[in-house]
Amino acid sequence: MSFQHVCVLGATGSIGVSTLDVIQRHPDRMAVYALTGFSRMELLAEQARSCAAQVVVVPDMAARQRFLTAWQGGAAVPEIRVGEQALVDTASDPQVTTVMAAIIGAAGLPSALAAARSGKRVLLANKEALVAAGSVFMKAVQQGGAQLLPIDSEHSAIYQCLAGESPAEPGKAVAGLRRLLVTASGGPFRSRPLEDLAAVTPAQACAHPNWSMGRKISVDSATMLNKGLEVIEAHWLFSVPVQQIEVVIHPQSVIHSMVEYIDGSVMAQLGQPDMRTAIAYGLGFPERLASGVGLLDLATMGRLDFEAPDLLRFPCLRLAYEALRSSQAACVTLNAANEIAVDRFLGEQIRYTQIPEVIEHCLDSLNGRASQTLDALDAVLDLDSETRSIALDYCRRAPGP
Ligand code: NAD
Ligand code: MG
């Protein structure tokens, strides 16, 4: 693998910080070219200084000023690019070989797509991009000649379990595959009495038992909408039909996912719950790189448990399966409605149990739109913003917590 010049989209987030940790362990193989951040300009300045980034992207002129204020003398200030178009331009910058797409939500779609179209090595953490625009995104990867490596731990696990097994042709599943078994921790509310769920707080929902992550994905893990997004993501990444993708709850988060073949053989990938393993795999592929992740001590762990997900407890998982079975428009709606619902829940404007209600209301409002083909980014973004208004309106009228 030749030397990589990396653009980290969403550098100030949880995945961004872990990515910089791995990159800085391998100065002989890779360097940061660009970093982007939406808030936390002090952190962005500190990161840009410590990895000598040549470019940073910030959302607006006020953020630019905060970045400059935080940059205290010394080294030359990196080039500062401003706004949404700058994210797209930087993801496709000819200086960049590798893009880590780690912006949260559908906001990360245009830049992730630009990286795919311009043929980069794309490390995809932003699952919402595939959920909202699976066909558009996979077509861009193929036409742009990009190399797509999944970063979501479950999809990295599946990718690793499939290593060496390549599909007969692009867009076809690997031969001999029976099922993908996507593992889920079950989140913080796996065994909480159902009647208590209406009163849970954002802090409780964000306290994930195994993984430390950004707030939005933490809530998604509590509702298991995250697992639903991952089923949709797996469908697009590995060209596997929905009926061959199953979710199994595995509270210890040691097995990150599995692949079952028609001969009964099941391959699993195990490791500590630390995203640096998947990130190092993506950065190093096809070689293995040290990531800083420690030993897996199975003897201390003692046991690994499994159970089937309860769809009454986790209605968001049911809604995601229904959306995938129904249409791409339903997947766009599911994702956009969830982003609004989670934001309102984190802002304490709706209850935890209202999150699936918002999503269901938006899916019901789709009506005839479900059959609409979404083969261009603009069509996806139009439906995304239309759904957000419907969801916002519903949240405004819903009785608060
Ligand atoms: P986070 O909230 O910690 O960080 C999000 C990053 O995106 C930050 O750098 C933020 O500044 C930036 N951002 C936010 N809104 C933006 C906008 N409108 N425009 C541009 N930039 C914006 O999120 P995270 O937990 O790091 O997750 C990032 C992505 O990775 C998500 O898609 C998530 O589903 C996925 N993912 C995360 C984990 C994890 O362990 N955290 C695991 C698997 C997948
Ligand atoms: Mg995951």
Side-chain angles (χ1 to χ4, degrees):
M1 181 84 200
S2 49
F3 196 86
Q4 297 185 77
H5 300 273
V6 188
C7 164
V8 184
L9 300 169
T12 53
S14 165
I15 293 286
V17 167
S18 296
T19 303
L20 295 183
D21 180 277
V22 177
I23 291 174
Q24 288 181 309
R25 291 167 193 272
H26 303 283
D28 52 325
R29 290 169 174 265
M30 58 190 79
V32 165
Y33 173 74
L35 299 177
T36 88
F38 194 70
S39 54
R40 304 173 77 192
M41 289 300 125
E42 301 69 29
L43 174 60
L44 186 66
E46 194 185 307
Q47 291 177 325
R49 181 184 293 279
S50 84
C51 12
Q54 297 181 44
V55 172
V56 293
V57 184
V58 302
D60 50 32
M61 293 308 278
R64 181 179 186 278
Q65 193 49 53
R66 291 204 304 281
F67 180 89
L68 284 170
T69 308
W71 188 275
Q72 296 141 359
V77 185
E79 178 189 338
I80 307 176
R81 299 179 185 168
V82 179
E84 282 174 30
Q85 185 57 39
L87 287 174
V88 168
D89 296 342
T90 307
S92 48
D93 192 314
Q95 302 286 326
V96 169
T97 59
T98 307
V99 174
M100 165 57 83
I103 289 174
I104 186 90
L109 172 57
S111 50
L113 198 57
R117 284 194 174 132
S118 51
K120 309 296 186 196
R121 169 179 283 220
V122 183
L123 311 184
L124 188 70
N126 180 246
K127 63 191 89 190
E128 295 90 346
L130 272 183
V131 171
S135 63
V136 181
F137 192 86
M138 295 310 282
K139 197 153 70 175
V141 167
Q142 215 182 329
Q143 290 178 348
Q147 185 179 30
L148 179 61
L149 289 153
I151 296 301
D152 216 343
S153 57
E154 295 75 6
H155 306 77
S156 174
I158 292 168
Y159 197 88
Q160 293 181 56
C161 293
L162 291 172
E165 311 268 355
S166 44
E169 52 186 287
K172 285 256 155 33
V174 162
L177 188 141
R178 183 147 70 190
R179 283 185 307 169
L180 301 180
L181 298 167
V182 181
T183 54
S185 69
F189 306 139
R190 182 174 59 88
S191 45
R192 182 150 321 197
L194 281 182
E195 57 275 20
D196 291 0
L197 290 181
V200 300
T201 64
Q204 289 167 331
C206 288
H208 196 279
N210 307 332
W211 297 91
S212 146
M213 309 180 285
R215 280 163 68 79
K216 187 253 176 189
I217 182 174
S218 297
V219 176
D220 288 351
S221 299
T223 61
M224 280 190 79
L225 191 277
N226 180 54
K227 211 47 56 180
L229 298 180
E230 291 181 355
V231 168
I232 301 172
E233 187 184 8
H235 163 75
W236 288 110
L237 278 173
F238 305 111
S239 307
V240 175
V242 55
Q243 61 275 17
Q244 282 169 262
I245 310 175
E246 272 178 38
V247 170
V248 60
I249 291 188
H250 163 45
Q252 291 91 353
S253 300
V254 168
I255 297 181
H256 298 315
S257 278
M258 294 170 266
V259 173
E260 183 178 65
Y261 291 95
I262 48 176
D263 58 5
S265 184
V266 179
M267 312 295 290
Q269 187 263 352
L270 287 72
Q272 288 200 17
D274 186 324
M275 289 305 293
R276 290 178 301 173
T277 300
I279 293 167
Y281 186 79
L283 284 169
F285 184 84
E287 291 171 44
R288 293 279 177 176
L289 297 181
S291 66
V293 175
L295 299 174
L296 179 65
D297 186 351
L298 285 171
T300 304
M301 197 129 252
R303 55 187 276 183
L304 300 179
D305 297 313
F306 303 93
E307 65 195 46
D310 170 359
L311 295 183
L312 281 178
R313 176 178 293 279
F314 298 113
C316 287
L317 181 59
R318 171 181 59 80
L319 291 170
Y321 264 106
E322 285 171 11
L324 179 55
R325 283 192 200 101
S326 153
S327 65
Q328 198 181 335
C331 294
V332 174
T333 298
L334 173 93
N335 181 62
N338 178 60
E339 285 192 30
I340 295 296
V342 171
D343 180 72
R344 294 292 119 150
F345 167 67
L346 287 170
E348 299 186 42
Q349 284 149 316
I350 62 168
R351 290 190 304 274
Y352 175 81
T353 42
Q354 287 174 307
I355 296 173
E357 291 173 21
V358 176
I359 300 172
E360 197 146 26
H361 171 75
C362 291
L363 286 170
D364 288 347
S365 312
L366 253 181
N367 296 325
R369 302 284 298 273
S371 57
Q372 185 188 353
T373 40
L374 295 171
D375 52 4
L377 180 61
D378 285 349
V380 170
L381 295 179
D382 283 351
L383 181 57
D384 177 278
S385 68
E386 200 182 308
T387 304
R388 281 166 202 265
S389 334
I390 296 170
L392 278 170
D393 190 47
Y394 183 85
C395 291
R396 261 193 297 274
R397 286 184 287 109

